[in-house]
Amino acid sequence: ASYTMSSASNVTLYAKWALNTYTITFTANGGIGSNTTQTIEHNISESLDANSFTKTGYSFSGWSTTSGGIVEYSDGSSYTGTSDVTLYAKWTVNAYTITFNTNGGDGGSTSSQNINYGASANLTTNGFTKTGYTFSSWNTQADGLGTDISDGASYTMSSASNVTLYAK
């Protein structure tokens, strides 16, 4: 800047410093919702804002500095500001349980089965018995009016919740 001497003596000018601030941008990385950006001062450690993103069938596992990277920061962990950064949400697929209901059967057993959200697997083979009856299929409703599913058929876990299948 231009400075005009207004006195006939020497002048001392003092440096004035402004602390740098940096922006942390949070990205859903396949999830939905929004997180506000967070501002942090240079070399100051602060807790990261809590995650508010969601992803159906997945659990939030932490933050990474790259979209395909590993978890580097857990939710709310300490972060020291040294530059602007984008943090990407990292997700872990949830496994859901299929419970097989005897639906009036009188013997045998069929073990529950876990399948990851979005994955397919062949169903556990029926082990239930009912005197005087032949097992015909599994059904999504106890009254048999839901969807029939063949014994041992491939099943895709498209629901983000546990499932009960009923012997028919």
Side-chain angles (χ1 to χ4, degrees), residues 121-147:
N122 290 339
L123 292 175
T124 301
T125 304
N126 173 49
F128 296 131
T129 60
K130 185 173 182 178
T131 305
Y133 290 83
T134 301
F135 176 81
S136 64
S137 66
W138 297 107
N139 197 277
T140 56
Q141 292 180 202
D143 62 7
L145 298 176
T147 303

Side-chain angles (χ1 to χ4, degrees), residues 7-23:
S7 69
S9 62
N10 293 332
V11 174
T12 302
L13 298 178
Y14 296 91
K16 185 174 180 183
W17 300 97
L19 186 60
N20 291 341
T21 58
Y22 305 108
T23 301

Side-chain angles (χ1 to χ4, degrees), residues 23-46:
T23 301
I24 302 169
T25 303
F26 299 95
T27 302
N29 201 21
I32 59 171
S34 63
N35 257 31
T36 58
T37 58
Q38 183 175 351
T39 302
I40 192 167
E41 294 178 335
H42 179 74
N43 270 348
I44 301 295
S45 293
E46 289 187 29

Side-chain angles (χ1 to χ4, degrees), residues 98 100 113 115 121-125 138 149-150 152-155 165:
I98 299 174
F100 299 94
Q113 182 175 3
I115 302 177
N122 290 339
L123 292 175
T124 301
T125 304
W138 297 107
I149 303 168
S150 300
S154 179
Y155 184 87
L165 296 179

Side-chain angles (χ1 to χ4, degrees), residues 31-81:
I32 59 171
S34 63
N35 257 31
T36 58
T37 58
Q38 183 175 351
T39 302
I40 192 167
E41 294 178 335
H42 179 74
N43 270 348
I44 301 295
S45 293
E46 289 187 29
S47 295
L48 292 171
D49 289 347
N51 171 55
S52 64
F53 298 124
T54 60
K55 185 175 181 179
T56 300
Y58 291 78
S59 295
F60 176 76
S61 56
W63 299 105
S64 177
T65 55
T66 61
S67 63
I70 62 169
V71 172
E72 298 171 61
Y73 303 99
S74 60
D75 205 18
S77 68
S78 181
Y79 182 83
T80 302

